[in-house]
Each structure stands twice: as structure tokens, then as C-alpha cells.
């Protein structure tokens, strides 16, 4: 049987017992026990008086027996029971053993002193005995509560993580601490779980503890509430009702409950993160496999269509169809290349071939690769790009900047310039690609770097796959860099690629001047 099933079974058996009747029985037994203490002392005094009187014992001997009875009553029941016994005993001494006997009169002052000494000593010893007994009882109760708290902490580790933790905690607290009722309010899902005959009232008490961020105690000394906290932040409330509870125990139970709830949330987050990671791995593997599978037939189709076009023996209509095939095959070939590159970046399978690269040379390589696409467009390069160097993979960085340039050429206003600039800022080399065109909405400026995402405004404006900007971000992150975009109606759109600078060469340091003495 699992631990959760065992908890449910024990809880059902506990719930089948009438808790209200059990509490009344405890109160009755406690009252009867105290009444027995008040009766036992006087009965013992009466027996000793009868025996001592018939045996003609003197005042000192009889007083010793009475004193022993008072001490026994104090150790067994308590101070007030012993006090009643001592008062009865001193009156019996006075009546039966202090001359003149069988009267309440005391003639000799020494007998007054003896009776007073007996009473004071009996009360003092009773008080000390009751105090020691109370301390022992408190220590025993504290030990029992610590054992229960330890059991609760141990059983928390065995809770069934596949089920909701809150109702399991309610059942566990009831089982271990024998509480009459328990209510638990979890603020994050706004969930209430309770059990017991007074659970409805405790539900409101638990909710109020969280809303008011304050603990409370009932006037009857049996109802307690506490705030569930993680550090200083309240995350819920708990209310308990039972005879064997105190403030420290309830506070400890609340702390353990808060830890159990947070532990369950941590496991849920971990499970979701692991599921997301596995899903991402599966998607990356599928993209990689599909891209590889598409590459071979696409290459064959592109080769065949290019051969037909170069042969020059096609009719005008056939040549137009072959040209369309060649164009779309090239588009599919670029798409599969991007998919392959994205899959490798996701799987972290790209091994960077790092080298020192001049930023100006990098920009020129990008422009050369996109010469046909930029035909007829005015491209400006800021002078600040010269002299800057980065340390990275040339091919991957050309791809990343190429995505920015491709995006600028597609969505910028015809006839407007495209500006490329670079500068060193706060320990980073920042390359910017600026164009003038429709602005990107604030809600889309981060999402456009997600895979396959395209804004509603640009979805039908130019063809695209939605992979380019995500590849640029992955390439930047592979180099320890970052990407972002700034877009405004009046100033256009600027994409930024920030990379760590290349380490300085030894000869870049300024030599120290040496002076002759």
C-alpha cells in the first residue's frame, strides 16, 4: 500500500470517530481526575486520624503522617488539592491531638507555633512539588510535540506528488496531532481545503489569517490560526482546533506546511521545465531531420531547373515555368539551410571557429553577400566602424548581420537609406542596422526574435520564414552577446547586435617611459 493510501485509510478511520464526543470525554475525565484528588487527600487524613487517635500517637508523630499525605497529594494531583488536604489535616491535629483534645481551643502558644509551622511547611512543599511536576509535564508535552513535528516533517517527504498537496497536508495534520478540525488556505490557486466538524468556521479563520497577515487564538484556547510564510511573504493561512495545541506548535506546523506547498510548486516547475526541454529537443531533432531530408531532392530539382534554363531550348511558356521552379527551389533551399542552422544552434552543436575580425571587414562581407538583394538601394557605413574588432566565428556573425540587413531591405521605405554603424559602448561592440519604414509595435519588439513569429503588419508585406531574427539572436548568444530592436514612428527601426570585444593584443598597451638618472 502506498503512503498516500495509508494516509487516506488512517484519516477515514479517524474521521469515523466522533471528535466532539471524544473531546467531551477528555473534559469529563480531566474533571473526574481533579475531583478524585480533592477526595483522596481528606479520605487519607481521616484514615490516619482514626488510627493515630486509637493508638494514642502524639502531635509530632501524627503531624509527620499528615505531612506525608500532603506531599503525596501534591505530587500526584497538584497544589490546590494538597492545600485543601493540609487545611483539613491541621484542623484534625488541632481537634484530636492538641491539648485539650476533642476541642478547638489551643492553650499552649507552642502548639500554635507547631500548627502554623505545619501548615506553612505543607503549603510550601506542595507549591514546590506542584511546580516541579508542572515543569516535568511541560517538558514531556514539549517532547511529544517535537516528536509529532518530526513525524510530520518526515511524512511530508512521502506525500504523493501526483496529487494535490493541500488536502494531503490536512489529512496528515489531523492524523498526527489528533486535531478536531483543520482548514488550509493556499493563496496562489485560492484553494481552501478543510476537514472536521467545524471546518466551515475554520475556513474563514484560515482565509482571514492570510488576508490580515496576522495570527490569532480563540478565547476557548482550542482554536488557533497562523499565516503561511515563505521568508516574509505570506502565501496562505492555516487554522486548527484541538485540545493539545499551543502557539509554538501551531507556528511550527504552519512553517512545515508552507515548505510542503512550496516544495510541491518547485517539483511542478521542474516537471514543466523538463517537459518543455524534451519538447524543444524533439522539435529540434525533427527540424534537423526534415531539413536534411529536403536538401537532397531540392538540390536535384535546382540543378535540373537551372540546366533547362541554360539549355535555351524551352518555349517561352515553358521557360517561365522553369524559371518559377528555379526561383522557388532557391527559396526552399534557403529555408532548409536556415532550419539546419537553427537546429544546430538549438542543440549547441556548432563549434565556433573564433578569430579576430575587424567590424568594418565584417560589414563589407555582409554587403558583398547581399549585393543582388540591395541592388539600387543606398547603403551608408558610419566611420565609427573602423578600428573595432570582435573575436568570434566569421561565418556565423555574417549570417546574423545578414539577417538584420535582409530585414531592413524588405521592410524599409523604398528609396530610403540603410545605415550600418558600430561603436564600443560599456565594454561591448555594438553593431546597428538602421532603416526607415513602418514601426514595430512595442508588444512585438521582443517576440519578433522568436522562431516563426511574424507581425500582423508585415506578414503580407514581404516573403519570409520567421526564422532569420531568431537565428541572429541564437548566434549572438553563442558568442556571449545579445540582440534587441528600437523602433519609433519618427526615427525608423534599428536592430542592434552587441558582442564582446576582441582581447587586446600585447602591443596595444602603451609602453612605459623610462627616464635616465
Amino acid at each position: 500500500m502506498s503512503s498516500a493510501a495509508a494516509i487516506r485509510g488512517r484519516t477515514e478511520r479517524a474521521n469515523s470517530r466522533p471528535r466532539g464526543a471524544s473531546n467531551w470525554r477528555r473534559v469529563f475525565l480531566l474533571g473526574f481526575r481533579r475531583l478524585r484528588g480533592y477526595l483522596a487527600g481528606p479520605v487519607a487524613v481521616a484514615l490516619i486520624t482514626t488510627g493515630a487517635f486509637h493508638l494514642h500517637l502524639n502531635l509530632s508523630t501524627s503531624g509527620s503522617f499528615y505531612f506525608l499525605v500532603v506531599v503525596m497529594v501534591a505530587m500526584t494531583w497538584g497544589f490546590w488539592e494538597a492545600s485543601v488536604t493540609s487545611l483539613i489535616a491541621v484542623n484534625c491535629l488541632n481537634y484530636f491531638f492538641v491539648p485539650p483534645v476533642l476541642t478547638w481551643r489551643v492553650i499552649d502558644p507552642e502548639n500554635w507555633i507547631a500548627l502554623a509551622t505545619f501548615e506553612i511547611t505543607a503549603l510550601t512543599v506542595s507549591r514546590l512539588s506542584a511546580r516541579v511536576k508542572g515543569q516535568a509535564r511541560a517538558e514531556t508535552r514539549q517532547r511529544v510535540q517535537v516528536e509529532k513535528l518530526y513525524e510530520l516533517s518526515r511524512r511530508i517527504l512521502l506525500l504523493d506528488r501526483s496529487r494535490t498537496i493541500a488536502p494531503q497536508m490536512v489529512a496528515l495534520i489531523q492524523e498526527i496531532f489528533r486535531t478536531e478540525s483543520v482548514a488550509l488556505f493556499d493563496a496562489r490557486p485560492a484553494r481552501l481545503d478543510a476537514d472536521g466538524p467545524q471546518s466551515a468556521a475554520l475556513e474563514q479563520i484560515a482565509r482571514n489569517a492570510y488576508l490580515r497577515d496576522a495570527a490569532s487564538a480563540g478565547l476557548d484556547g482550542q482554536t488557533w490560526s497562523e499565516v503561511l510564510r515563505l521568508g516574509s511573504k505570506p502565501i496562505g493561512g492555516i487554522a486548527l482546533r484541538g485540545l493539545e495545541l499551543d502557539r509554538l506548535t501551531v507556528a511550527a506546523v504552519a512553517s512545515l506546511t508552507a515548505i510542503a506547498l512550496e516544495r510541491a510548486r518547485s517539483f511542478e516547475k521542474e516537471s514543466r521545465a523538463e517537459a518543455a526541454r524534451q519538447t524543444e529537443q524533439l522539435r529540434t531533432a525533427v527540424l534537423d531531420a526534415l531539413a536534411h531530408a529536403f536538401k537532397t531532392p531540392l538540390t536535384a530539382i535546382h540543378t535540373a531547373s537551372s540546366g533547362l534554363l541554360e539549355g535555351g531550348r524551352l518555349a517561352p511558356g515553358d521557360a517561365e515555368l522553369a524559371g518559377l521552379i528555379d526561383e522557388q527551389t532557391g527559396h526552399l533551399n534557403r529555408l532548409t539551410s536556415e532550419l539546419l542552422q537553427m537546429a544546430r544552434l538549438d542543440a549547441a552543436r556548432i563549434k565556433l571557429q573564433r578569430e579576430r575580425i575587424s567590424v568594418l571587414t565584417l560589414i563589407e562581407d555582409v554587403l558583398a553577400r547581399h549585393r543582388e538583394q540591395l541592388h539600387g538601394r543606398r547603403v551608408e557605413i558610419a566611420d565609427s566602424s573602423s578600428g573595432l574588432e570582435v573575436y568570434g566565428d566569421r561565418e556565423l556573425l555574417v549570417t546574423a548581420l545578414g539577417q538584420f540587413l535582409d530585414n531592413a531591405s524588405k521592410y524599409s521605405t523604398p528609396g530610403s537609406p540603410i545605415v550600418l554603424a558600430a561603436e564600443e559602448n560599456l565594454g561591448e561592440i555594438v553593431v546597428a542596422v538602421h532603416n526607415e519604414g513602418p514601426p514595430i509595435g512595442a508588444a512585438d519588439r521582443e517576440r519578433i526574435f522568436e522562431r516563426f513569429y511574424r507581425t500582423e503588419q508585415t506578414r503580407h508585406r514581404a516573403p519570409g520564414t520567421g526564422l532569420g531574427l531568431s537565428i541572429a539572436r541564437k548566434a549572438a548568444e553563442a558568442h556571449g552577446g545579445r540582440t534587441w530592436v528600437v523602433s519609433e514612428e519618427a526615427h525608423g527601426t534599428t536592430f542592434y547586435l552587441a558582442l564582446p570585444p576582441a582581447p587586446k593584443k600585447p602591443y596595444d598597451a602603451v609602453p612605459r617611459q623610462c627616464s635616465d638618472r
Side-chain angles (χ1 to χ4, degrees), residues 163-349:
R163 298 171 51 239
T164 306
I165 294 298
Q168 295 185 72
M169 283 300 302
V170 169
L172 200 57
I173 292 169
Q174 274 197 315
E175 177 191 353
I176 294 176
F177 289 90
R178 302 293 182 184
T179 56
E180 180 183 336
S181 303
V182 180
L184 175 60
F185 175 65
D186 190 355
R188 292 186 183 177
R191 177 188 175 100
L192 263 170
D193 293 278
D195 194 13
Q198 298 190 24
S199 57
L202 289 187
E203 287 179 359
Q204 188 60 41
I205 295 174
R207 186 187 287 109
N208 288 340
Y210 166 73
L211 295 176
R212 298 173 182 172
D213 193 12
S216 64
L219 297 177
D220 56 0
Q222 299 182 26
T223 304
W224 306 83
S225 70
E226 190 66 47
V227 184
L228 303 182
R229 299 182 187 277
L230 280 179
S232 59
K233 180 181 179 182
I235 63 169
I238 188 170
L240 302 94
R241 179 175 174 79
L243 287 173
E244 299 179 359
L245 296 174
D246 55 62
R247 168 58 61 199
L248 293 178
T249 301
V250 174
V253 169
S255 298
L256 290 174
T257 303
I259 292 172
L261 294 177
E262 187 60 24
R263 179 172 177 267
R265 293 190 184 100
S266 298
F267 281 128
E268 290 175 4
K269 291 178 182 177
E270 182 181 344
S271 299
R272 288 195 296 266
E274 179 62 21
R277 187 184 65 82
Q278 293 179 357
T279 301
E280 188 65 22
Q281 286 182 342
L282 177 61
R283 182 168 61 179
T284 299
V286 170
L287 287 176
D288 195 9
L290 287 175
H292 275 101
F294 288 163
K295 265 292 185 181
T296 301
L298 283 174
T299 302
I301 294 172
H302 186 64
T303 302
S305 61
S306 299
L308 289 173
L309 290 173
E310 291 177 1
R313 294 193 297 268
L314 296 176
D318 295 336
E320 183 179 352
L321 291 175
L324 180 62
I325 292 172
D326 189 70
E327 178 186 350
Q328 294 303 316
T329 302
H331 176 66
L332 283 174
N333 195 37
R334 287 191 299 273
L335 176 59
T336 53
S337 297
E338 290 181 351
L339 286 172
L340 276 172
Q341 195 166 38
M342 175 60 71
R344 293 193 183 102
L345 285 168
D346 282 343
R349 292 206 309 262

Side-chain angles (χ1 to χ4, degrees), residues 411-426:
Y411 302 112
S412 62
T413 303
S416 62
I418 298 174
V419 181
L420 287 85
E423 64 176 356
E424 185 169 2
N425 184 23
L426 298 177

Side-chain angles (χ1 to χ4, degrees), residues 388 421-425 428-432 482 484 496-499:
L388 300 177
E423 64 176 356
E424 185 169 2
N425 184 23
E428 292 180 313
I429 302 297
V430 182
V431 184
R482 57 198 180 100
W484 72 95
Y496 294 93
L497 171 65
L499 300 167

Side-chain angles (χ1 to χ4, degrees), residues 43-67 69 89 92-98 101-102:
V43 170
V45 170
L47 293 175
I48 290 174
T49 302
T50 303
F53 187 78
H54 284 89
L55 293 174
H56 304 287
L57 299 180
N58 59 19
L59 175 64
S60 177
T61 306
S62 303
S64 299
F65 281 113
Y66 287 143
F67 185 78
V69 170
C92 288
L93 282 173
N94 181 17
Y95 189 80
F96 291 100
F97 301 100
V98 174
V101 295
L102 301 180

Side-chain angles (χ1 to χ4, degrees), residues 13 30 34-35 51 70 79 82 116 147 149 192 209 245 273 322 328 346 362 364 379 385 421 430 472 475 486 509 514:
R13 290 193 297 272
L30 182 61
R34 298 199 67 173
L35 179 62
V70 172
F79 172 73
E147 290 175 353
L149 290 171
L192 263 170
L245 296 174
Q328 294 303 316
D346 282 343
L362 188 65
E364 290 174 350
V379 179
S385 304
V430 182
V486 175
C514 297

